[in-house]
Amino acid sequence: MLTALLYGLGTVVPLMIGVAVGVRWTLPRAVLASMMAFGAGTMIAAVSEELFAPAFRRDGAVIAGIALFAGAGMYVVADHLIENKLGRAAIGWALLLGTVLDGIPENMALGVSLVGGGGLVLLVAIAVGNVPEAVSAVAFLRDQHGFSPGRTFGLWAVTAAVLVAVTVLGNALAGTISSSAISAVQAFAGGATIAMLADSLVPEAYREGGWWVGMATAAGFFVAFAIG
């Protein structure tokens, strides 16, 4: 349980650091784009290595596939509704939505994976990915919606507390839920992550940084894969 708590904190401390940076400073576009792209690369490695692959091997294509598309579909629909309402200003809310929709099943999967001695790649990917997500989302919420620092910290602190609790809960329930349920959680998290990367994080990184951010994405993937 203590390990799960520490791993949960390991995912949200970088998140809150990103919030603090986003509230206080406006980073150069090139730096923010590099951070986003690097985080996207680590998430790609985590999805393939610690989310979808274990679910696919454990319960096959049907369960893993259905959960994957369910996670992607939930993010895509929610992001589409936000975008229709807010237009270009929706990116901040979209990144926050991505943190919640992929963060909850990701952290649940992280807690579950600790039972088998895994989780390091997923921890690194979540932690690294949370920083640019938070920085960029906070910047957009501040600039496009006029969020005050207090309101911003409150919103993200609640999100962080939920993610830590979900990690501990996933670890506590790991021995009581079926393997199919574990696979569904992992694949759902993978689907939500893939959709968030495709719809929000990667396009925003390219928009802010240009053609060279592909190298930062590759670097993030390599680092996370090598750790695994």
Side-chain angles (χ1 to χ4, degrees):
M1 191 71 72
L2 178 59
T3 301
L5 177 62
L6 293 176
Y7 268 62
L9 290 172
T11 66
V12 301
V13 168
L15 181 75
M16 296 310 295
I17 291 174
V19 172
V21 171
V23 166
R24 187 175 179 86
W25 295 289
T26 299
L27 296 181
R29 294 172 60 185
V31 173
L32 184 58
S34 297
M35 291 174 61
M36 286 194 223
F38 188 90
T42 64
M43 290 184 195
I44 292 170
V47 168
S48 59
E49 288 294 304
E50 295 213 19
L51 292 177
F52 188 73
F56 188 90
R57 287 194 296 265
R58 187 185 302 115
D59 284 286
V62 174
I63 291 177
I66 290 173
L68 180 83
F69 285 106
M74 181 172 288
Y75 179 84
V76 167
V77 169
D79 183 45
H80 180 68
L81 293 174
I82 292 175
E83 189 172 324
N84 280 348
K85 184 174 181 180
L86 299 178
R88 177 71 179 89
I91 185 64
W93 286 109
L95 292 173
L96 175 59
L97 173 69
T99 302
V100 174
L101 282 186
D102 68 338
I104 289 177
E106 272 180 355
N107 280 55
M108 176 72 76
L110 176 63
V112 169
S113 68
L114 292 175
V115 174
L120 182 58
V121 172
L122 189 54
L123 170 64
V124 171
I126 294 172
V128 173
N130 278 346
V131 175
E133 275 189 78
V135 172
S136 52
V138 167
F140 277 102
L141 290 174
R142 179 194 64 209
D143 297 339
Q144 300 290 341
H145 301 284
F147 272 43
S148 66
R151 184 182 180 191
T152 299
F153 271 107
L155 180 64
W156 287 87
V158 170
T159 301
V162 169
L163 294 179
V164 173
V166 164
T167 307
V168 175
L169 180 63
N171 184 253
L173 295 178
T176 63
I177 59 179
S178 68
S179 64
S180 294
I182 293 174
S183 295
V185 169
Q186 291 174 314
F188 183 94
T193 301
I194 289 171
M196 186 274 295
L197 293 175
D199 286 8
S200 300
L201 195 59
V202 172
E204 189 62 25
Y206 183 84
R207 186 181 297 113
E208 294 294 317
W211 58 271
W212 53 267
V213 297
M215 297 302 294
T217 306
F221 177 86
F222 177 77
V223 169
F225 191 87
I227 290 173

